[in-house]
Amino acid sequence: MALPVGALLGVIAAAGVTVVALRVTSGADCSSSLPLKVAVTPAALDVVNAAAQDYQRSQPVVNNRCVQIQVESRNAADVANELPTAQINPHSLWIPDSSMWAAEAQRQAAETGPEAPKLDIKPSLASSPLVMAGSESAMSKIGFPVSPVSWSKVLDPKVQVAMSDPTMTSEGLASLFVIRTLLGNADGTPKPELVGTLLRVGRSAVPSVRDSYGKVTTDAEKAPLFAATEQSVVANNRSAKDNAVLGAPPKEGTLSFDYPLVRVSRPNEPEGIGEASAEFERVLRSAETVKRFGEAGFRTAQGAAPAKWSTDVEGVQAGDVKLIETPNADQVSELLRTWGAISLDMRMLTVIDVSGSMIEKSGNGKTRIEAATQASMTALSMLPDTTQIGLWAFSTEKKPPNDWIELVAIGPLGEPLAGVTRRKRLEAGASQLPGLVGGGTALNDTTLAAFRHVLAGYDPSKVNSVVLMTDGRNDDTGSSIDTATLIETLKREADPAKPVPIIMVGLGDEVDMDALRAISSATGGKAYQAPNPEDIRAVLLDAVSQRRCRPNC
């Protein structure tokens, strides 16, 4: 069936797909065409296109219909999100770069209902391990090639690393899993070290690995390290020799991208799609296609690399790679939830007790106010400039008739304030806290005022909250509301459409934790106790990691 070239090119331009075969057959008995849509990760596009051309040259016919392969380059994360509900001209075959996305799409499809497609995840077509990559200068800063690359070196706060967004890239998701494996708890909950690391690397996250390669091109000396597939390093160095990068798998182990073939079947798909898919699969698994994958910089599905690879030419070595197990669907979902919570932007009012007891020494020789200030500033340093933070201090009659004083108004950390950023203003405000210590603990009135203040300026695009740190209990009994009245007022004024959870942090052993738990619970928040100074930072990071589920944790 001959197709007009002009009409076909118009279809290609409009749909953004690569349709292989202008002339599907030259006289076979075809009554119509049978489109077979194939989505493929961009790195494997050329190889799959070549396989499609091989297949079309055989002039395939199924049920008297000429098979027409349509190969579309698609990001795996996008396809995974669309597949469960895609109904218009959907793909029948999918080649993502990692079965992580295939498993996530399969999980989502199972939750969608009977109208969702069935995903059959078949064996891999090729593989490529996740490596740490960078310019020669960047790699030398972590000791390579004199010493092997190590995740522990990469995660050192002194090392500049750019992670790609795990919700958009397989490289980012794989990196997140490796970091989670090294720093997470066995039950799936994040350790404070994990939260801190993700907050730090999240500040410099880039949309795609292409952005990281671009930074090497712009300024190789200042470009950060980044995680990429070994295949992308090979491809980059073959096309841009003047801006070559080095790539090496960390010695602790890494993930391998496995490029599975996924058959996506639907109850209402055209007759013959299954047979055409099976025929094209045989071409994809042919010796010629395996050879092409190798020439494009991929390893075999079993992990074997071409022996001729060298660091001088390809930027990588062909040796064996220590691998860790690919995460399953539940682990992928947990990873994405963790990242989603940590990467959510927030609007938070930090309220710190400066009553007289905060001058008492804590376990490490510092006063409670010094420990609270230091922990707050450590957490502050991990947050991006778009995060909105404000700072209050409170004790009895701090600024009559109020018991609190606003040191820095809520706003973006990167916003200029009288010549310096709000981040710097917060650091200066925190340094004033020890000098403000004195008086009683006006806990209840301050808590209510802070809650109302954040609620009044509620920003629906952010997670709004109050974080209050105190070492005592409400002792402003003469003029303040009592705890029972505070709790009832908070419940009455809380708006489910505008949640403002209060996170209470009790410092030391003398704090009234029962009252703090009741107060925080009234707003869907949580109360933590930090008996020792070193616990404060862990408590704050845990509170950050649970932002996504508030107020329903």
Side-chain angles (χ1 to χ4, degrees):
M1 179 177 66
L3 300 178
V5 175
L8 183 58
L9 292 178
V11 172
I12 295 172
V17 299
T18 303
V19 180
V20 180
L22 299 179
R23 193 179 203 62
V24 231
T25 84
S26 57
D29 186 12
C30 298
S31 60
S32 61
S33 65
L34 179 63
L36 179 63
K37 287 195 67 178
V38 182
V40 59
T41 188
L45 176 63
D46 290 343
V47 176
V48 175
N49 267 341
Q53 290 169 349
D54 288 347
Y55 179 58
Q56 295 284 193
R57 275 193 289 269
S58 70
Q59 299 181 355
V61 178
V62 174
N63 293 345
N64 294 325
R65 301 179 68 185
C66 295
V67 180
Q68 185 182 30
I69 300 286
Q70 299 177 357
V71 182
E72 184 178 5
S73 175
R74 292 295 306 278
N75 180 286
D78 292 340
V79 178
N81 290 327
E82 294 172 5
L83 267 183
T85 56
Q87 299 294 330
I88 301 175
N89 199 20
H91 301 98
S92 299
L93 288 175
W94 176 31
I95 305 171
D97 46 18
S98 174
S99 57
M100 291 187 295
W101 293 114
E104 174 65 8
Q106 194 176 53
R107 182 192 65 79
Q108 290 185 34
E111 296 177 352
T112 300
E115 70 279 4
K118 177 185 176 184
L119 275 66
D120 181 11
I121 305 175
K122 296 174 175 288
S124 301
L125 299 173
S127 69
S128 187
L130 182 75
V131 298
M132 190 52 57
S135 65
E136 183 176 356
S137 173
M139 293 291 279
S140 67
K141 291 175 182 177
I142 58 171
F144 185 81
V146 176
S147 59
V149 172
S150 167
W151 284 110
S152 61
K153 291 181 182 178
V154 171
L155 298 180
D156 187 323
K158 296 187 291 293
V159 176
Q160 189 180 10
V161 179
M163 187 170 92
S164 54
D165 189 335
T167 65
M168 300 170 61
T169 69
S170 301
E171 294 89 349
L173 183 59
S175 301
L176 182 60
F177 179 71
V178 174
I179 296 172
R180 158 68 180 81
T181 301
L182 295 174
L183 299 177
N185 291 314
D187 63 359
T189 58
K191 290 182 180 178
E193 293 85 355
L194 173 61
V195 177
T197 298
L198 294 182
L199 281 170
R200 179 171 57 83
V201 299
R203 288 184 63 182
S204 57
V206 295
S208 73
V209 177
R210 289 191 303 274
D211 296 276
S212 295
Y213 280 111
K215 290 182 179 181
V216 175
T217 301
T218 303
D219 190 341
E221 289 297 316
K222 295 182 180 180
L225 292 170
F226 58 97
T229 62
E230 182 183 68
Q231 185 274 336
S232 72
V233 173
V234 174
N236 174 80
N237 292 344
R238 288 175 178 173
S239 63
K241 295 183 178 180
D242 293 337
N243 299 294
V245 301
L246 299 176
K251 65 180 182 179
E252 300 94 335
T254 188
L255 281 179
S256 179
F257 288 21
D258 52 352
Y259 304 90
L261 178 65
V262 183
R263 169 73 171 100
V264 185
S265 57
R266 291 172 171 79
N268 59 347
E269 70 181 13
E271 185 178 353
I273 287 293
E275 184 179 342
S277 297
E279 289 181 356
F280 186 46
E281 179 179 357
R282 284 192 286 273
V283 178
L284 288 170
R285 298 191 186 280
S286 68
E288 183 61 29
T289 302
V290 171
K291 179 183 176 182
R292 288 183 180 128
F293 270 115
E295 292 171 345
F298 294 89
R299 293 178 179 241
T300 66
Q302 294 73 36
K308 63 180 181 180
W309 280 359
S310 70
T311 304
D312 292 338
V313 179
E314 282 80 17
V316 298
Q317 294 181 336
D320 293 337
V321 175
K322 181 180 178 181
L323 299 177
I324 60 179
E325 188 175 352
T326 301
N328 57 37
D330 290 340
Q331 290 172 317
V332 170
S333 297
E334 180 264 321
L335 285 169
L336 293 174
R337 282 195 300 270
T338 298
W339 178 261
I342 291 170
S343 59
L344 280 173
D345 220 344
M346 65 179 172
R347 177 176 178 270
M348 182 177 76
L349 176 60
T350 303
V351 184
I352 298 181
D353 184 354
V354 290
S355 60
S357 56
M358 288 290 285
I359 202 67
E360 294 183 12
K361 296 285 185 179
S362 53
N364 61 357
K366 295 181 179 179
T367 64
R368 291 173 181 170
I369 189 62
E370 289 172 340
T373 300
Q374 185 178 50
S376 299
M377 290 304 98
T378 301
L380 176 68
S381 67
M382 301 175 181
L383 299 172
D385 284 345
T386 54
T387 299
Q388 295 187 14
I389 304 289
L391 178 62
W392 287 10
F394 77 96
S395 63
T396 51
E397 297 185 358
K398 185 53 62 183
K399 189 178 181 181
N402 298 325
D403 296 309
W404 59 91
I405 181 172
E406 182 180 75
L407 299 177
V408 182
I410 300 176
L413 290 176
E415 182 180 29
L417 291 176
V420 298
T421 63
R422 179 175 270 99
R423 190 186 298 273
K424 290 294 184 182
R425 288 292 176 192
L426 285 164
E427 292 173 357
S431 68
Q432 300 176 38
L433 292 172
L436 296 175
V437 172
T441 307
L443 178 64
N444 292 353
D445 281 356
T446 302
T447 300
L448 183 58
F451 173 80
R452 286 172 171 172
H453 183 75
V454 175
L455 182 61
Y458 187 86
D459 184 344
S461 68
K462 301 183 184 297
V463 177
N464 298 253
S465 64
V466 173
V467 174
L468 188 148
M469 287 185 272
T470 181
D471 71 340
R473 61 191 67 221
N474 185 64
D475 57 15
D476 185 21
T477 56
S479 58
S480 76
I481 60 173
D482 58 46
T483 302
T485 303
L486 169 64
I487 293 170
E488 289 304 315
T489 304
L490 290 172
K491 289 180 178 179
R492 184 175 63 254
E493 296 186 9
D495 184 350
K498 298 179 179 180
V500 180
I502 299 177
I503 311 300
M504 308 291 277
V505 181
L507 309 178
D509 298 323
E510 301 169 6
V511 66
D512 185 357
M513 288 305 302
D514 289 338
L516 298 191
R517 292 188 187 98
I519 293 168
S520 59
S521 179
T523 62
K526 184 176 180 180
Y528 297 83
Q529 186 167 15
N532 303 305
E534 58 270 20
D535 298 327
I536 303 174
R537 177 175 176 271
V539 161
L540 291 177
L541 293 177
D542 183 71
V544 167
S545 73
Q546 294 196 34
R547 286 178 295 165
R548 191 178 185 88
C549 65
R550 299 293 174 204
N552 300 309
C553 296

